[in-house]
Amino acid sequence: MSTLDDLRREINSIDVKLKELFIKRMGISAEIGKIKLSSNDEIYDDKREAEIIDRFLADTGEECLSYAESFYKNLLNMSRARQYLIHAERNVESPLTRLLKNAEVQIPAAEKICYQGIDGSWSGRAAREIYPDAAAFQCPAFEDVFENVASGKVQAGIVPIDNSTAGGVNDVYDLLVSYDLYITHALTLDIEHCLLGTTGAEITDIKRVYSHPQALSQCGENLRKLGA
Protein backbone atom coordinates (compact mmCIF):
# COMPACT_ATOMS: atom_id res chain seq x y z
CA MET A 1 0.00 0.00 0.00
CA SER A 2 1.35 3.42 -0.97
CA THR A 3 2.17 5.87 1.79
CA LEU A 4 1.35 9.58 1.74
CA ASP A 5 4.99 10.35 0.90
CA ASP A 6 4.90 7.85 -1.98
CA LEU A 7 1.80 9.47 -3.45
CA ARG A 8 3.25 12.96 -3.06
CA ARG A 9 6.42 11.92 -4.86
CA GLU A 10 4.27 10.56 -7.68
CA ILE A 11 2.30 13.83 -7.81
CA ASN A 12 5.57 15.79 -7.93
CA SER A 13 6.78 13.70 -10.84
CA ILE A 14 3.51 14.27 -12.72
CA ASP A 15 3.68 18.02 -12.00
CA VAL A 16 7.13 18.24 -13.58
CA LYS A 17 5.76 16.69 -16.78
CA LEU A 18 2.67 18.91 -16.69
CA LYS A 19 4.83 22.01 -16.33
CA GLU A 20 6.99 21.04 -19.32
CA LEU A 21 3.92 20.37 -21.46
CA PHE A 22 2.18 23.56 -20.27
CA ILE A 23 5.15 25.75 -21.16
CA LYS A 24 5.43 24.04 -24.53
CA ARG A 25 1.70 24.47 -25.23
CA MET A 26 1.72 28.15 -24.26
CA GLY A 27 4.70 28.71 -26.54
CA ILE A 28 2.85 27.16 -29.46
CA SER A 29 -0.25 29.24 -28.60
CA ALA A 30 1.91 32.37 -28.78
CA GLU A 31 3.16 31.36 -32.23
CA ILE A 32 -0.42 30.77 -33.34
CA GLY A 33 -1.31 34.23 -32.01
CA LYS A 34 1.43 35.79 -34.15
CA ILE A 35 0.15 33.97 -37.24
CA LYS A 36 -3.41 35.12 -36.53
CA LEU A 37 -2.14 38.66 -36.13
CA SER A 38 -0.36 38.64 -39.48
CA SER A 39 -3.32 37.02 -41.26
CA ASN A 40 -5.91 39.17 -39.42
CA ASP A 41 -7.75 36.06 -38.21
CA GLU A 42 -10.03 36.05 -35.17
CA ILE A 43 -8.42 34.80 -31.94
CA TYR A 44 -11.58 33.22 -30.58
CA ASP A 45 -12.88 30.31 -32.67
CA ASP A 46 -15.80 28.77 -30.75
CA LYS A 47 -16.18 25.78 -33.07
CA ARG A 48 -12.49 24.95 -32.87
CA GLU A 49 -12.48 25.20 -29.08
CA ALA A 50 -15.63 23.06 -28.80
CA GLU A 51 -13.98 20.37 -30.94
CA ILE A 52 -10.84 20.46 -28.78
CA ILE A 53 -12.85 20.13 -25.55
CA ASP A 54 -14.98 17.27 -26.94
CA ARG A 55 -11.85 15.42 -28.02
CA PHE A 56 -10.20 15.93 -24.63
CA LEU A 57 -13.28 14.68 -22.74
CA ALA A 58 -13.98 11.72 -25.02
CA ASP A 59 -12.19 9.10 -22.88
CA THR A 60 -12.62 10.78 -19.51
CA GLY A 61 -14.59 8.81 -16.95
CA GLU A 62 -17.73 10.22 -15.34
CA GLU A 63 -15.92 10.65 -12.03
CA CYS A 64 -13.50 13.23 -13.47
CA LEU A 65 -15.58 14.60 -16.35
CA SER A 66 -16.64 17.92 -14.79
CA TYR A 67 -13.14 18.52 -13.40
CA ALA A 68 -11.54 17.75 -16.75
CA GLU A 69 -13.91 20.13 -18.56
CA SER A 70 -13.17 22.93 -16.10
CA PHE A 71 -9.42 22.28 -16.36
CA TYR A 72 -9.38 22.37 -20.15
CA LYS A 73 -11.62 25.42 -20.46
CA ASN A 74 -9.25 27.29 -18.14
CA LEU A 75 -6.32 26.10 -20.23
CA LEU A 76 -7.95 27.41 -23.40
CA ASN A 77 -8.73 30.73 -21.67
CA MET A 78 -5.06 31.11 -20.75
CA SER A 79 -3.95 30.27 -24.28
CA ARG A 80 -6.39 32.81 -25.67
CA ALA A 81 -5.23 35.41 -23.13
CA ARG A 82 -1.64 34.90 -24.30
CA GLN A 83 -2.72 35.52 -27.89
CA TYR A 84 -4.72 38.62 -26.92
CA LEU A 85 -1.62 39.94 -25.14
CA ILE A 86 0.40 39.62 -28.36
CA HIS A 87 -2.26 41.64 -30.18
CA ALA A 88 -2.45 44.19 -27.34
CA GLU A 89 1.33 44.70 -27.44
CA ARG A 90 0.92 45.73 -31.07
CA ASN A 91 -2.10 47.91 -30.31
CA VAL A 92 -4.56 45.65 -32.13
CA GLU A 93 -8.14 45.93 -30.90
CA SER A 94 -10.45 42.97 -30.85
CA PRO A 95 -13.17 43.11 -33.55
CA LEU A 96 -15.90 43.49 -30.94
CA THR A 97 -14.16 46.39 -29.19
CA ARG A 98 -13.57 48.11 -32.53
CA LEU A 99 -17.20 47.61 -33.58
CA LEU A 100 -18.59 48.96 -30.32
CA LYS A 101 -16.28 51.98 -30.25
CA ASN A 102 -17.37 52.93 -33.77
CA ALA A 103 -21.07 52.39 -33.09
CA GLU A 104 -23.49 55.28 -32.81
CA VAL A 105 -23.49 56.68 -29.28
CA GLN A 106 -27.09 56.51 -28.12
CA ILE A 107 -27.50 55.83 -24.42
CA PRO A 108 -31.11 55.02 -23.45
CA ALA A 109 -32.44 56.81 -20.38
CA ALA A 110 -32.38 54.83 -17.13
CA GLU A 111 -33.43 55.67 -13.59
CA LYS A 112 -32.27 52.37 -12.13
CA ILE A 113 -29.23 50.35 -13.21
CA CYS A 114 -27.18 47.49 -11.82
CA TYR A 115 -23.70 46.05 -12.19
CA GLN A 116 -21.74 43.03 -10.97
CA GLY A 117 -19.36 43.64 -8.10
CA ILE A 118 -19.05 46.12 -5.25
CA ASP A 119 -18.88 49.89 -5.10
CA GLY A 120 -15.40 50.88 -6.24
CA SER A 121 -15.08 48.01 -8.71
CA TRP A 122 -14.29 48.73 -12.36
CA SER A 123 -17.86 47.83 -13.35
CA GLY A 124 -19.11 50.23 -10.69
CA ARG A 125 -16.90 52.99 -12.08
CA ALA A 126 -18.17 52.29 -15.61
CA ALA A 127 -21.75 52.41 -14.34
CA ARG A 128 -21.16 55.81 -12.77
CA GLU A 129 -19.58 57.19 -15.93
CA ILE A 130 -22.37 55.98 -18.23
CA TYR A 131 -25.27 56.73 -15.87
CA PRO A 132 -24.06 59.36 -13.36
CA ASP A 133 -27.59 60.26 -12.18
CA ALA A 134 -29.17 56.81 -12.01
CA ALA A 135 -29.69 54.75 -8.86
CA ALA A 136 -27.12 51.97 -9.06
CA PHE A 137 -27.50 48.54 -7.45
CA GLN A 138 -24.80 45.92 -6.95
CA CYS A 139 -25.17 42.26 -7.98
CA PRO A 140 -23.09 39.28 -6.81
CA ALA A 141 -22.99 37.57 -10.24
CA PHE A 142 -23.15 38.47 -13.94
CA GLU A 143 -26.36 36.48 -14.37
CA ASP A 144 -28.02 38.56 -11.64
CA VAL A 145 -27.37 41.64 -13.78
CA PHE A 146 -29.01 40.02 -16.81
CA GLU A 147 -31.93 38.72 -14.73
CA ASN A 148 -32.63 42.15 -13.24
CA VAL A 149 -32.67 43.77 -16.67
CA ALA A 150 -34.76 41.00 -18.24
CA SER A 151 -37.34 41.17 -15.43
CA GLY A 152 -37.63 44.96 -15.68
CA LYS A 153 -36.31 45.66 -12.17
CA VAL A 154 -33.72 47.97 -13.74
CA GLN A 155 -33.51 49.65 -17.14
CA ALA A 156 -29.84 48.83 -17.80
CA GLY A 157 -27.04 46.59 -16.61
CA ILE A 158 -23.30 47.16 -16.90
CA VAL A 159 -20.98 44.19 -17.50
CA PRO A 160 -17.41 43.80 -18.77
CA ILE A 161 -17.17 42.09 -22.14
CA ASP A 162 -13.65 42.47 -23.47
CA ASN A 163 -10.17 43.07 -22.04
CA SER A 164 -7.23 43.89 -24.27
CA THR A 165 -4.87 41.81 -22.11
CA ALA A 166 -6.95 38.98 -20.64
CA GLY A 167 -9.37 38.58 -23.58
CA GLY A 168 -13.13 38.27 -23.70
CA VAL A 169 -15.24 37.66 -20.59
CA ASN A 170 -16.70 34.30 -21.58
CA ASP A 171 -19.45 34.20 -18.94
CA VAL A 172 -20.91 37.43 -20.31
CA TYR A 173 -20.74 36.15 -23.89
CA ASP A 174 -22.70 33.05 -22.81
CA LEU A 175 -25.32 35.17 -21.07
CA LEU A 176 -25.78 37.34 -24.16
CA VAL A 177 -26.80 34.18 -25.98
CA SER A 178 -29.10 33.00 -23.17
CA TYR A 179 -31.00 36.27 -22.65
CA ASP A 180 -32.96 38.33 -25.16
CA LEU A 181 -31.02 41.51 -24.36
CA TYR A 182 -28.92 43.88 -26.43
CA ILE A 183 -25.74 45.94 -26.13
CA THR A 184 -26.83 49.58 -26.26
CA HIS A 185 -23.58 51.35 -25.38
CA ALA A 186 -19.90 50.59 -24.84
CA LEU A 187 -17.39 52.39 -22.66
CA THR A 188 -13.64 51.93 -23.02
CA LEU A 189 -12.09 52.13 -19.57
CA ASP A 190 -8.41 52.09 -18.68
CA ILE A 191 -7.81 49.43 -16.04
CA GLU A 192 -5.10 50.18 -13.48
CA HIS A 193 -4.11 47.90 -10.59
CA CYS A 194 -2.01 48.65 -7.52
CA LEU A 195 0.36 46.21 -5.86
CA LEU A 196 -0.29 46.47 -2.11
CA GLY A 197 2.13 45.43 0.59
CA THR A 198 2.79 45.83 4.30
CA THR A 199 4.61 48.82 5.75
CA GLY A 200 8.35 48.59 5.13
CA ALA A 201 8.09 45.87 2.47
CA GLU A 202 10.52 46.14 -0.43
CA ILE A 203 9.32 45.21 -3.92
CA THR A 204 12.40 43.00 -4.36
CA ASP A 205 11.30 40.93 -1.34
CA ILE A 206 7.88 40.04 -2.79
CA LYS A 207 7.66 36.33 -3.62
CA ARG A 208 3.90 35.73 -3.86
CA VAL A 209 1.01 37.90 -5.04
CA TYR A 210 -2.65 37.22 -4.19
CA SER A 211 -5.51 38.55 -6.31
CA HIS A 212 -8.50 37.66 -8.49
CA PRO A 213 -7.51 35.51 -11.51
CA GLN A 214 -8.65 38.25 -13.91
CA ALA A 215 -6.43 40.85 -12.23
CA LEU A 216 -3.50 38.42 -12.18
CA SER A 217 -3.98 37.81 -15.89
CA GLN A 218 -4.18 41.54 -16.65
CA CYS A 219 -0.96 42.14 -14.69
CA GLY A 220 0.76 38.99 -15.92
CA GLU A 221 3.62 40.70 -17.73
CA ASN A 222 4.61 42.86 -14.75
CA LEU A 223 4.28 39.95 -12.35
CA ARG A 224 6.59 37.86 -14.54
CA LYS A 225 9.15 40.69 -14.51
CA LEU A 226 8.78 40.87 -10.74
CA GLY A 227 9.53 37.15 -10.50
CA ALA A 228 6.74 36.62 -7.98
Side-chain angles (χ1 to χ4, degrees):
M1 181 177 179
S2 298
T3 65
L4 179 59
D5 287 340
D6 291 336
L7 294 173
R8 283 175 172 169
R9 278 192 292 270
E10 190 173 353
I11 284 287
N12 291 342
S13 176
I14 293 172
D15 285 346
V16 170
K17 296 175 182 176
L18 282 175
K19 181 179 178 180
E20 291 175 354
L21 291 172
F22 174 73
I23 292 173
K24 183 177 181 180
R25 193 187 195 285
M26 291 297 285
I28 294 173
S29 291
E31 292 303 313
I32 291 174
K34 293 175 183 176
I35 293 173
K36 288 179 177 178
L37 179 60
S38 61
S39 60
N40 203 30
D41 288 339
E42 300 282 354
I43 289 178
Y44 181 52
D45 185 341
D46 56 343
K47 292 183 180 179
R48 164 71 176 164
E49 291 199 5
E51 290 172 359
I52 293 174
I53 292 173
D54 288 343
R55 186 167 63 247
F56 182 78
L57 299 178
D59 299 321
T60 305
E62 283 294 326
E63 185 177 351
C64 294
L65 187 62
S66 61
Y67 302 109
E69 183 175 9
S70 178
F71 165 77
Y72 214 77
K73 283 184 176 180
N74 282 326
L75 181 61
L76 290 176
N77 284 340
M78 287 184 284
S79 295
R80 201 182 317 120
R82 182 70 188 93
Q83 294 179 17
Y84 275 115
L85 181 59
I86 291 171
H87 285 225
E89 288 170 346
R90 302 191 189 183
N91 297 317
V92 178
E93 292 179 333
S94 75
L96 179 59
T97 298
R98 187 166 57 250
L99 184 66
L100 291 174
K101 284 179 67 175
N102 293 331
E104 181 182 354
V105 177
Q106 187 177 6
I107 308 175
E111 295 181 357
K112 293 182 180 180
I113 63 170
C114 65
Y115 60 89
Q116 187 276 329
I118 62 174
D119 191 25
S121 66
W122 294 109
S123 290
R125 178 176 163 184
R128 293 298 181 188
E129 288 202 23
I130 300 173
Y131 294 103
D133 300 321
F137 300 93
Q138 302 159 14
C139 298
F142 290 135
E143 186 158 15
D144 296 323
V145 175
F146 279 76
E147 184 60 37
N148 281 329
V149 178
S151 65
K153 292 180 180 178
V154 298
Q155 288 82 49
I158 288 79
V159 291
I161 196 168
D162 190 56
N163 182 273
S164 60
T165 301
V169 184
N170 292 336
D171 290 345
V172 174
Y173 276 92
D174 292 340
L175 289 166
L176 282 169
V177 175
S178 302
Y179 284 81
D180 188 23
L181 300 176
Y182 301 88
I183 298 172
T184 59
H185 181 69
L187 174 71
T188 299
L189 196 66
D190 289 333
I191 304 298
E192 298 176 344
H193 293 293
C194 294
L195 183 61
L196 306 180
T198 56
T199 302
E202 297 290 338
I203 196 165
T204 53
D205 296 331
I206 297 173
K207 303 301 180 186
R208 183 168 295 177
V209 177
Y210 294 88
S211 188
H212 188 281
Q214 189 75 8
L216 291 174
S217 177
Q218 291 168 359
C219 300
E221 191 66 26
N222 284 329
L223 292 177
R224 282 190 289 273
K225 291 177 181 178
L226 185 64

